[in-house]
Amino acid sequence: MPRHTIDDIMTQTNARPATKHHGLSAKTLRRLERASGRLASASVVAMEQRLPWFSRLPADQRASVLMITQTGAAGFVDWLRDSQEALKLTTEAFRSAPQELSRWIGLRQAVGLVRLAIEVFEEQLPEFAANETEQAALIEGILRYGREIAFATANSYAAAAEARGAWDARLEALVVDGIVRGDAEESLLSRAAALGWDPGEKATVLVGPPSSDDPPTVVFEVRRLAARLGRPILLSVQGSRLVMVAGGPTDGSSRDDEVLGKLAIAFGEGAVVAGPTVASLAGAHRSATEALSGLRAVVGWPGAPRPVRSADLLPERALTGDPEAERLLIEEVAAPLEAAGPTLLHTVDAYLESGGVLETCAKTLFVHPNTVRYRLRRAAELTGRNAANPRDALVLRVALTVGRLARARGLW
């Protein structure tokens, strides 16, 4: 008998109303019921012969496919008797199967198995029909039944993927929250590894306002942007702030600053602060702490770039009472200047007091302007801050003030 196309069968279906038994006699249904196991076995044999990857599966996995196919064959007979109720029961029975299959068979492969099983059924079903009318009804039935099973399989895979995605999102939020709170490193690293994060990846924490009130929308947009930039990220929307951990070979170059600037596009309107880049996720808590401190203090610098490094907000952070900022100002600015000797420290003080006027500073110190230039250049080499730059001048002034206050309190 020639194979019927889907168009032919759907035309026949539309031309006549379906009956409860699909026009099949009780004798034909009994034959099918007795032969369901044989049909299932023939389907698995065809899978082994036509699908090379299937024959390489372990025996227990092939046995699972056979069992699922037998369930489908038995469900087909029940579906022919009562399509609505039987299909509901069959799809429910199949709902848990793809959860097991998905561990070692992808969706494309699972649909291929269903397609091949339907082809085997279509080839062998006519021999069970009493006449040509029943043959056409069987072919129509297996095509429609196979379509429903394929849809049920796809839906189950989609549900499993959504469940995994939801679990991954919760796990990711736990990792980011652990970074912010400074949880135990081992548990945090193991969770991050489960999300595919390389333990040796450098990390930079960025914080700022989210771009939307809908967290899933924020996550989608950030991930799409990070994928375009080729940077691994971990992120979590925590109320009115978005915390992002960006990975990658960051060495402080202009290229890295450009990447951070592009990642900042994913944040909403307002300031975005980037903490220091750390060697691995194990040290990300320090980056998060400084970034959050900078976010609280950035309001004190209206002209701050976006994103702004937390190290560039040391004066504002110190004014908010951040002890870490005070420590960094002393270690990186005040201490090197004091260690260089009173002459260099006195020159920087005099230059700042003169409002940055070189000649005035030179007259105050009774030295040549070139001497002042040399000393300021030496101070810049020691601290990384150029007193002629207004922003660096503020850092120098606050650092020297913090150092004197700490010394007066006996803290330095």
Side-chain angles (χ1 to χ4, degrees):
M1 176 183 173
R3 293 166 63 91
H4 293 264
T5 66
I6 293 180
D7 290 339
D8 294 337
I9 291 176
M10 296 310 296
T11 301
Q12 297 174 16
T13 303
N14 294 332
R16 66 179 189 278
T19 61
K20 185 175 182 180
H21 293 78
H22 297 268
L24 298 174
S25 63
K27 182 178 180 181
T28 298
L29 292 175
R30 285 196 299 270
R31 288 178 180 175
L32 285 175
E33 190 171 19
R34 288 195 295 267
S36 60
R38 192 185 80 187
L39 289 171
S41 299
S43 299
V44 174
V45 170
M47 294 172 189
E48 293 176 341
Q49 293 174 347
R50 303 183 196 179
L51 301 175
W53 62 266
F54 181 80
S55 61
R56 293 193 294 268
L57 291 176
D60 59 332
Q61 295 179 3
R62 294 199 303 273
S64 296
V65 173
L66 174 60
M67 183 176 63
I68 294 170
T69 307
Q70 289 174 339
T71 302
F76 174 58
V77 178
D78 294 335
W79 182 81
L80 290 173
R81 290 194 175 99
D82 189 345
S83 60
Q84 292 183 351
E85 183 63 24
L87 182 60
K88 177 181 177 182
L89 295 175
T90 302
T91 53
E92 286 295 329
F94 269 71
R95 191 177 303 278
S96 60
Q99 295 179 4
E100 178 184 353
L101 286 175
S102 62
R103 299 173 188 170
W104 29 271
I105 295 179
L107 175 59
R108 188 189 300 270
Q109 293 173 318
V111 173
L113 294 179
V114 173
R115 181 185 295 113
L116 185 54
I118 297 305
E119 290 179 0
V120 172
F121 274 55
E122 188 179 353
E123 292 171 357
Q124 299 192 17
L125 281 177
E127 68 180 81
F128 301 103
N131 50 56
E132 290 189 0
T133 301
E134 289 195 357
Q135 288 180 355
L138 285 175
I139 298 301
E140 172 190 336
I142 192 59
L143 290 178
R144 294 180 62 186
Y145 179 73
R147 180 186 62 187
E148 298 296 338
I149 292 299
F151 286 157
T153 302
N155 286 335
S156 296
Y157 268 81
E162 288 179 357
R164 287 194 298 271
W167 169 249
D168 286 350
R170 289 193 293 270
L171 183 60
E172 184 176 9
L174 286 173
V175 171
V176 175
D177 184 59
I179 291 173
V180 172
R181 292 188 293 109
D183 285 350
E185 291 181 5
E186 290 301 324
S187 61
L188 186 145
L189 293 177
S190 64
R191 291 172 180 173
L195 294 170
W197 183 277
D198 182 357
E201 193 88 60
K202 292 184 178 181
T204 306
V205 177
L206 294 90
V207 294
S211 59
S212 171
D213 294 333
D214 182 33
T217 301
V218 175
V219 171
F220 174 77
E221 293 297 334
V222 174
R223 292 204 177 285
R224 185 172 62 174
L225 177 61
R228 288 204 305 268
L229 296 174
R231 289 296 179 100
I233 61 167
L234 299 170
L235 69 152
S236 175
V237 180
Q238 300 179 343
S240 60
R241 73 187 183 197
L242 169 63
V243 181
M244 179 195 305
V245 183
T250 307
D251 55 11
S253 65
S254 58
R255 166 62 181 164
D256 294 318
D257 291 338
E258 180 183 348
V259 171
L260 292 180
K262 291 180 178 179
L263 287 174
I265 298 175
F267 290 81
E269 295 184 2
V272 178
V273 181
T277 298
V278 294
S280 68
L281 200 64
H285 174 61
R286 180 172 68 86
S287 182
T289 300
E290 294 198 28
L292 292 171
S293 173
L295 187 64
R296 291 189 293 269
V298 71
V299 65
W301 186 11
R306 191 176 188 270
V308 57
R309 285 281 190 173
S310 58
D312 295 330
L313 290 165
L314 290 179
E316 290 78 12
R317 291 168 55 192
L319 291 174
T320 63
D322 182 356
E324 178 64 14
E326 295 180 4
R327 183 186 67 81
L328 290 173
L329 285 172
I330 294 173
E331 288 185 358
E332 297 177 3
V333 180
L337 288 177
E338 182 168 321
T343 301
L344 191 61
L345 182 61
H346 186 47
T347 300
V348 173
D349 269 331
Y351 183 79
L352 294 175
E353 290 298 330
S354 68
V357 180
L358 189 66
E359 290 75 12
T360 303
C361 177
K363 290 179 180 179
T364 302
L365 297 174
F366 300 103
V367 296
H368 194 277
N370 285 341
T371 302
V372 176
R373 290 191 181 94
Y374 170 77
R375 292 176 183 176
L376 292 179
R377 187 162 57 249
R378 175 60 178 160
E381 293 173 354
L382 292 173
T383 64
R385 304 289 179 174
N386 182 4
N389 179 283
R391 180 66 191 176
D392 286 349
L394 173 64
V395 175
L396 288 167
R397 184 180 290 276
V398 173
L400 294 176
T401 302
V402 167
R404 294 186 182 103
L405 292 173
R407 187 176 293 281
R409 299 196 302 267
L411 301 178
W412 176 36

